[in-house]
Amino acid sequence: MKKIYLELTDRCNLNCTICYRRNWKDGFSDMSKDTFNKFLKDIKDINGLEEIVLGGIGEPTIYEEILEVLTRLKEYNLNITTNGTLLTNSLVEKIVDTVKKVTISVDGVGKQFEDIRGTNLRIILEGIKRIQELKNRRGSSYPNIQLQFVSSSENVSNIFKVMDLAKEIGCFNIIVSHLLPQTEENKDTILYTIDRNDKLKNLWNKIRNYSFRKGIKIYLPNVELKTERNCDFIRDVTTYITAKGEVVPCYRFSHDSKEYVFGREKNVKKHSFGNIMDKSILDIWNSKEYREFRYYVYTNQFPSCPDCDLVEGCEYQKDTLEDCYGLSPSCGDCMWARRFVKCP
């Protein structure tokens, strides 16, 4: 195991229009101290652990013990994903002391950003400025700050202004991900297609050329469905631990939710391979069920639902419990594997 996503909380201080949490029916929770202490104990036995990402679906900086968490994990390569609204002086100082990479969501500027995130971009920029100034005072190159932009037909034209902003504030990496619709209202705002997509290819080329001129390294997702499937969670030897201590394979299977795949409604079911309060992380990771799941996904032994001729009349495609190959949970409709949705 090389990488762990640690979800300290699945709560958030924002209610973004594009968020996975908008269709959750269950309540929200924070990781207990006992669960976090068990996590600390377990990772000492994991050889070759390269990175811990403090993130998930919730906002890690609202976790009550975030400063203590950063202190106790400072010996590891830490990456924190955040909406950037709570970067207080004390948190900024701790982040500069302990974190190697900070990923901050910026999906536009001005009113475009406010419409999506429900807050003012100025707050985020002030936090970034505090990090950069403290780094400069200390002569430190860490943490690296990168921006993440979730693109849809509603905001994609704003990406050029976001690149201008990134250059201005000293953020030289931008991850662009497509929107994975979670509500009826945004299911038709996706940019990617099943068939040929020359229009988006041309736009991606313009964005890429603009990034070159700005000195920005930009990571762009696929624009159309391709035969090749590649799961970053499997390829990067990664697991995900929820706020309740459940060991799940990825973001998608961390909570019950609803998504729209090329307009089709799909019920996503949480899939846990075990809880760290019952077994060690390594024991769960090496369990027969989890090993077989990783093997089937790595070798692409699961169906391709979006371009299947039978998809409209198929019962399997309605949820992720099982697919027509017998794999459970089902990855047949996964937009991450298709390189449409990208994670830091």
Side-chain angles (χ1 to χ4, degrees), residues 7-168:
E7 182 185 79
L8 297 172
T9 179
D10 54 27
R11 295 184 299 115
C12 189
N13 60 318
L14 301 182
N15 187 25
C16 304
T17 61
I18 58 176
C19 185
Y20 307 106
R21 301 162 65 258
R22 291 183 73 86
N23 59 46
W24 287 5
K25 293 183 174 59
D26 297 333
F28 302 110
S29 58
D30 293 343
M31 181 170 284
S32 70
K33 288 186 178 181
D34 287 345
T35 302
F36 179 68
N37 287 335
K38 179 59 162 51
F39 170 78
L40 286 175
K41 178 178 178 292
D42 284 0
I43 61 176
K44 294 184 185 302
D45 296 325
I46 302 176
N47 295 322
L49 181 59
E50 296 177 358
E51 184 178 10
I52 296 175
V53 181
L54 300 178
I57 306 301
E59 171 52 46
T61 62
I62 69 170
Y63 187 64
E64 186 175 349
E65 306 296 332
I66 183 62
L67 298 180
E68 180 183 349
V69 167
L70 293 174
T71 298
R72 298 180 73 182
L73 289 174
K74 65 180 179 181
E75 65 185 274
Y76 297 94
N77 181 13
L78 283 182
N79 177 355
I80 186 167
T81 65
T82 175
N83 58 39
T85 58
L86 301 173
L87 295 173
T88 61
N89 289 334
S90 58
L91 181 55
V92 164
E93 185 168 349
K94 186 63 68 174
I95 284 173
V96 175
D97 285 341
T98 60
V99 174
K100 290 294 189 294
K101 186 188 299 180
V102 179
T103 304
I104 299 176
S105 300
V106 177
D107 306 305
V109 298
K111 186 176 184 302
Q112 185 72 70
F113 179 86
E114 293 176 11
D115 287 347
I116 294 171
R117 297 283 168 178
T119 190
N120 195 302
L121 182 58
R122 175 183 52 80
I123 298 171
I124 290 85
L125 296 181
E126 288 174 354
I128 293 174
K129 182 180 179 181
R130 283 195 287 270
I131 293 175
Q132 301 289 41
E133 288 177 346
L134 184 55
K135 282 169 55 179
N136 290 336
R137 288 201 302 270
R138 294 188 177 182
S140 173
S141 56
Y142 294 110
N144 291 320
I145 303 176
Q146 62 182 9
L147 305 184
Q148 182 160 39
F149 181 97
V150 178
S151 64
S152 71
S153 60
E154 303 293 319
N155 72 333
V156 69
S157 61
N158 240 218
I159 185 62
F160 298 97
K161 292 181 179 178
V162 171
M163 284 189 279
D164 291 340
L165 177 65
K167 175 75 171 182
E168 180 183 329

Side-chain angles (χ1 to χ4, degrees), residues 221-340:
N222 282 348
V223 299
E224 58 196 32
L225 201 70
K226 294 185 178 180
T227 301
E228 177 189 10
R229 292 176 291 178
N230 195 334
C231 174
D232 284 343
F233 287 91
I234 301 298
R235 186 197 63 187
D236 295 342
V237 198
T238 301
T239 197
Y240 183 122
I241 299 174
T242 72
K244 294 181 178 179
E246 301 289 343
V247 179
V248 300
C250 59
Y251 273 102
R252 189 173 183 238
F253 292 130
S254 63
H255 297 82
D256 289 345
S257 63
K258 184 184 294 183
E259 65 186 25
Y260 290 84
V261 182
F262 295 107
R264 282 186 292 110
E265 182 180 307
K266 191 177 191 80
N267 290 307
V268 178
K269 301 297 182 181
K270 182 187 78 174
H271 190 92
S272 171
F273 289 101
N275 193 292
I276 67 172
M277 297 305 288
D278 300 323
K279 296 181 180 179
S280 73
I281 296 172
L282 275 180
D283 283 345
I284 297 170
W285 175 261
N286 290 318
S287 66
K288 181 174 182 291
E289 181 189 13
Y290 201 171
R291 284 188 288 111
E292 287 183 346
F293 173 80
R294 296 197 302 272
Y295 172 77
Y296 289 133
V297 176
Y298 183 78
T299 56
N300 283 322
Q301 294 187 52
F302 58 95
S304 175
C305 299
D307 53 348
C308 175
D309 292 339
L310 305 177
V311 66
E312 294 301 331
C314 178
E315 290 296 312
Y316 287 113
Q317 60 83 20
K318 293 182 179 180
D319 58 45
T320 58
L321 292 176
E322 187 180 14
D323 60 36
C324 59
Y325 286 19
L327 183 66
S328 178
S330 171
C331 300
D333 264 330
C334 180
M335 297 293 98
W336 277 270
R338 295 296 188 168
R339 318 296 283 178
F340 291 134

